[in-house]
Every structure is written in structure tokens, then in C-alpha cells.
């Protein structure tokens, strides 16, 4: 991993930890996101209110499990401070299959714009650099 500030490193350690459990702790996840944030992927971008997003997270986790994947591991992180308030963070992730004899690792990359808060950061923009559903379908 490339050197990043300790604040950003802590934020993504928490992000990774909250996404790696068996269930979804939506209350803790809520602290990581702005009340409304932008989400984008190759299919387009849209504003996402936090409450519906949090309600959808268990379904997203189920989609990955049904496709044969569990949690993701952060493998690379690069930080670029944009100004005193905003930071751009590029990340790479590996999702390992539940049964490695039947599936290959799923490599994902995403970028985040984080807004500094009093205690940490919150996600205001989240870009998946690939269409995750299509990628899962391609892997079978």
C-alpha cells in the first residue's frame, strides 16, 4: 500500500471492517456517508440519499454471497488532498471467493471523494470503475 495520511488510513480500515462482517451494521456505516452522496459507475451517476442506500446494503451483500464472494480486502490506496475540506482517494480491492476451487478473485477499483468532518471524513462521491453486476455475471 502506498503511504496515506493516518486519518484516511483509519477511515478505510473502518470502511473495510464494516464491510467484512457477516451482517451489515448500518448504524456504523451511516457515519461514513454524507446525508446525500453521488454514486457513479460506467452506467452513469446519481445522487443517493443515505437512508435508502443503507437499507439496500444487506441486499448488496447477499448479491455477492449468491455470486460466491464474501468480503473484500483493500489492496491499494492512494490519497490526493484536493483542499482543506476534500480528499480524493483511489482504492483497489480483492474479493476472494467463498470456494476458491470454483471461482477466481474479483478485482475491483473505486475512487472516493471524502469531506473532512470534525472527527473524521464522510463519503460525498463514490465511483466504481467497473459495472460490478456485469463483472460478476462474466465470472459466472
Amino acid at each position: 500500500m502506498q503511504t496515506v495520511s493516518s486519518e484516511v488510513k483509519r477511515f478505510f480500515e473502518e470502511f473495510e471492517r464494516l464491510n467484512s462482517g457477516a451482517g451489515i451494521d448500518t448504524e456504523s456505516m451511516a457515519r461514513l456517508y454524507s446525508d446525500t452522496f453521488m454514486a457513479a459507475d460506467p452506467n452513469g451517476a446519481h445522487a443517493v440519499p443515505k437512508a435508502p442506500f443503507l437499507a439496500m446494503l444487506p441486499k448488496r451483500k447477499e448479491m455477492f454471497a449468491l455470486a460466491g464472494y464474501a468480503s473484500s480486502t483493500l489492496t491499494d490506496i492512494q490519497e490526493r488532498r484536493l483542499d482543506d475540506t476534500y480528499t480524493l482517494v483511489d482504492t483497489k480491492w480483492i474479493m476472494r471467493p467463498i470456494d476458491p476451487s470454483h471461482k477466481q478473485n474479483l478485482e475491483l477499483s473505486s475512487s472516493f471523494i471524502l469531506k473532512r468532518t470534525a472527527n473524521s471524513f464522510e463519503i460525498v462521491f463514490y465511483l466504481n470503475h467497473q459495472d460490478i453486476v456485469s463483472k460478476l455475471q462474466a465470472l459466472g
Side-chain angles (χ1 to χ4, degrees), residues 31-50:
R31 292 192 305 264
L32 304 181
Y33 289 87
S34 160
D35 287 338
T36 300
F37 63 95
M38 291 296 296
D41 68 12
N43 299 312
H46 53 281
V48 179
K50 185 182 341 190

Side-chain angles (χ1 to χ4, degrees), residues 4-139:
V4 297
S5 69
S6 59
E7 295 169 303
V8 168
K9 184 177 179 182
R10 275 193 306 273
F11 180 88
F12 278 95
E13 285 171 348
E14 178 73 355
F15 183 88
E16 182 178 21
R17 184 185 68 76
L18 290 171
N19 280 296
S20 67
I24 296 287
D25 179 355
T26 56
E27 187 174 314
S28 295
M29 287 293 286
R31 292 192 305 264
L32 304 181
Y33 289 87
S34 160
D35 287 338
T36 300
F37 63 95
M38 291 296 296
D41 68 12
N43 299 312
H46 53 281
V48 179
K50 185 182 341 190
F53 171 73
L54 294 172
M56 179 274 311
L57 284 178
K59 292 178 185 126
R60 184 176 190 265
K61 192 162 198 73
E62 183 180 332
M63 173 190 73
F64 281 113
L66 289 172
Y69 291 90
S71 60
S72 54
T73 302
L74 183 63
T75 60
D76 188 43
I77 184 169
Q78 297 180 28
E79 172 186 0
R80 183 172 151 228
R81 189 170 173 186
L82 300 174
D83 58 31
D84 290 341
T85 304
Y86 295 99
T87 300
L88 171 65
V89 181
D90 292 313
T91 62
K92 294 188 188 226
W93 304 83
I94 293 285
M95 291 196 79
R96 289 186 173 73
I98 295 167
D99 181 355
S101 66
H102 290 100
K103 301 240 182 226
Q104 62 185 13
N105 287 344
L106 177 62
E107 296 180 10
L108 303 171
S109 61
S110 50
S111 295
F112 299 81
I113 294 182
L114 306 179
K115 180 182 180 203
R116 183 173 297 284
T117 64
N119 300 321
S120 182
F121 295 96
E122 62 185 13
I123 297 167
V124 296
F125 184 83
Y126 175 35
L127 169 62
N128 279 310
H129 294 284
Q130 58 283 303
D131 179 339
I132 294 174
V133 173
S134 295
K135 197 158 185 170
L136 286 172
Q137 290 170 339
L139 291 173

